[in-house]
Amino acid sequence: NVVKGSIAMGLSMLLLSVVLAVIASNRITGHLAVVSKAAKEIAEGDFGKVITIKTGDEFEDLANAFNFMTEKIRGNIRELNNLIEELKKRDIQKTQFLANISHELRTPLTASIGYVDYMEKEKMGSLNPDQKHSLEIIRRNLERLNKEIHSLLLVSKYTLEGIKLNPEKIDISELIENIIKNFTPEVTLKGLVIKKSFAQKTLTGDKDNIRTVVENLMGNSIKFSAPATVITIATDIENKENQKYFKFKISNYGATIPEDQLRKIFEPFYQVDATTSRKYGGIGLGLSIAQNIIEAHQGKIWAESKDGLTTFYFFIPQGG
Ligand SMILES: Nc1ncnc2c1ncn2[C@@H]1O[C@H](COP(=O)(O)OP(=O)(O)OP(=O)(O)O)[C@@H](O)[C@H]1O
Ligand SMILES: [Mg+2]
């Protein structure tokens, strides 16, 4: 009997411990589930989450620590948002400054170019060969400065105001021929040959802006060409899914643009060689301006470069 009694008591104690253990474990699982659900919601971006556990034990401490953490995160996010707003404001001020300064620089520059032009035409008396040569150098440098200031002005204007387009029918072959003619001195100096094929002769787009794009792409092709090589220019029309696209393509031989930089070169001021001792002039704005313009036309512009052959393409939709 004593043995039986002891066994019965032992069993009831065991049963009681199991029941207590199950209750405790359910309570723990319940609280943990609340915390883990809240953690998941926070991970998904709901930083306003507050958990309430009023047990007076470690669970309440855990909940408080959790709420303290989310409060801190909310504070940090507020600070970051304020910082972003401040940076945006400063970015606009900087662009505004760039626009103002480039505008201011253009006036005296235009006047100087005008005077050099006047003197070159010998309207202020005849010039000896040395004077002519010097004036020619002054003019070339002023024109280069003028071009870079014009790019700064364009980029800042487009950033601040966007691009307003005046689409019209453009004789693109004539426009390209005209641009090529203006580059004759550089082309001759480098001994380059330009091959053209105009399978498509017209394009609907904003003439001044399309001219800027072609000028920038052609300027790059000439600048980055190895001496005595060939530049190819081609236009075409492509039909894709009931939509016509005008296609422009320009290739040159020279340095290969590394694969990982083929997109970056379209960012403002990005240059593959950005050292101050670099070989080529320019400030890295031409392609960024070209991209702004092509995208304003709902088109696409990109580059490919392999084994020294670099090609730039752009597409512009031309309606159905
Ligand atoms: N045809 C090309 N061949 C090789 N690299 C090129 C070519 N075109 C552009 N790049 C690279 O892309 C960079 C950016 O070109 P982008 O026209 O924007 O600026 P840039 O010509 O250096 O200066 P800017 O156009 O303002 O005078 C160039 O500095 C060059 O590294
Ligand atoms: Mg350029």
Side-chain angles (χ1 to χ4, degrees):
N1 271 352
V2 173
V3 173
K4 272 187 185 166
S6 303
I7 292 175
M9 198 152 104
L11 280 177
S12 1
M13 295 275 278
L14 188 67
L15 194 66
L16 188 65
S17 332
V18 169
V19 170
L20 284 178
V22 168
I23 292 173
S25 134
N26 276 346
R27 186 171 155 264
I28 293 171
T29 325
H31 290 322
L32 284 182
V34 171
V35 178
S36 105
K37 186 166 166 273
K40 210 168 143 225
E41 283 167 6
I42 286 174
E44 280 161 4
D46 178 8
F47 297 107
K49 190 76 205 165
V50 176
I51 39 181
T52 29
I53 297 177
K54 295 280 174 219
T55 48
D57 57 12
E58 290 89 344
F59 286 113
E60 191 170 332
D61 290 346
L62 178 65
N64 288 342
F66 201 90
N67 292 336
F68 180 69
M69 177 188 78
T70 48
E71 176 53 38
K72 272 262 178 236
I73 294 178
R74 280 196 295 275
N76 288 345
I77 291 176
R78 268 194 303 275
E79 262 176 45
L80 275 178
N81 280 336
N82 290 344
L83 204 66
I84 290 171
E85 282 313 308
E86 184 60 30
L87 283 175
K88 276 189 189 161
K89 228 166 64 194
R90 293 215 191 153
D91 193 42
I92 292 175
Q93 281 170 350
K94 206 181 69 191
T95 313
Q96 190 73 58
F97 167 75
L98 222 59
N100 291 347
I101 200 107
S102 31
H103 186 76
E104 283 307 310
L105 286 173
R106 283 195 90 186
T107 319
L109 205 57
T110 312
S112 308
I113 293 174
Y115 269 102
V116 170
D117 213 43
Y118 199 65
M119 286 160 86
E120 273 191 315
K121 286 182 179 137
E122 303 196 310
K123 288 186 179 164
M124 289 174 138
S126 55
L127 302 166
N128 66 38
D130 276 351
Q131 288 169 328
K132 273 189 186 161
H133 181 65
S134 305
L135 274 180
E136 156 79 19
I137 293 173
I138 295 175
R139 190 175 45 79
R140 269 215 315 270
N141 280 287
L142 287 180
E143 274 170 359
R144 189 171 139 198
L145 198 59
N146 195 30
K147 191 189 145 263
E148 282 173 4
I149 289 172
H150 180 66
S151 294
L152 269 180
L153 191 64
L154 268 190
V155 138
S156 38
K157 219 177 98 188
Y158 289 166
T159 312
L160 292 171
E161 303 165 9
I163 303 181
K164 291 172 198 87
L165 299 178
N166 276 319
E168 58 177 306
K169 195 156 186 167
I170 307 167
D171 183 337
I172 190 75
S173 53
E174 186 193 308
L175 185 85
I176 294 173
E177 292 285 9
N178 200 281
I179 294 170
I180 293 176
K181 210 151 72 202
N182 291 341
F183 278 112
T184 306
E186 288 94 328
V187 170
T188 317
L189 206 70
K190 268 193 136 167
L192 302 173
V193 173
I194 299 189
K195 286 193 175 158
K196 305 159 277 185
S197 98
F198 302 126
Q200 172 68 18
K201 290 193 168 52
T202 57
L203 152 72
T204 305
D206 182 296
K207 194 168 179 184
D208 287 344
N209 279 309
I210 295 295
R211 166 181 274 277
T212 302
V213 174
V214 177
E215 269 172 359
N216 288 350
L217 293 180
M218 203 175 292
N220 283 348
S221 286
I222 294 168
K223 179 162 69 172
F224 296 107
S225 271
T229 50
V230 178
I231 293 179
T232 23
I233 301 172
T235 61
D236 208 346
I237 198 99
E238 191 177 299
N239 283 298
K240 230 165 63 188
E241 291 154 10
N242 292 332
Q243 171 81 42
K244 270 198 223 141
Y245 293 91
F246 170 81
K247 256 168 79 177
F248 176 92
K249 178 179 159 180
I250 183 163
S251 314
N252 75 276
Y253 290 94
T256 310
I257 304 172
E259 171 92 40
D260 64 329
Q261 299 185 39
L262 284 172
R263 290 172 81 94
K264 286 196 189 135
I265 51 172
F266 290 94
E267 290 169 13
F269 305 109
Y270 190 91
Q271 296 178 305
V272 174
D273 177 8
T275 57
T276 44
S277 59
R278 65 181 198 279
K279 206 161 121 198
Y280 309 101
I283 45 177
L285 285 180
L287 289 180
S288 143
I289 292 172
Q291 174 167 274
N292 274 323
I293 294 172
I294 296 299
E295 286 180 354
H297 283 84
Q298 315 300 324
K300 255 186 87 175
I301 181 166
W302 73 99
E304 288 170 8
S305 191
K306 211 174 169 234
D307 303 327
L309 179 68
T310 299
T311 309
F312 283 84
Y313 300 87
F314 70 76
F315 266 48
I316 294 182
Q318 297 289 293

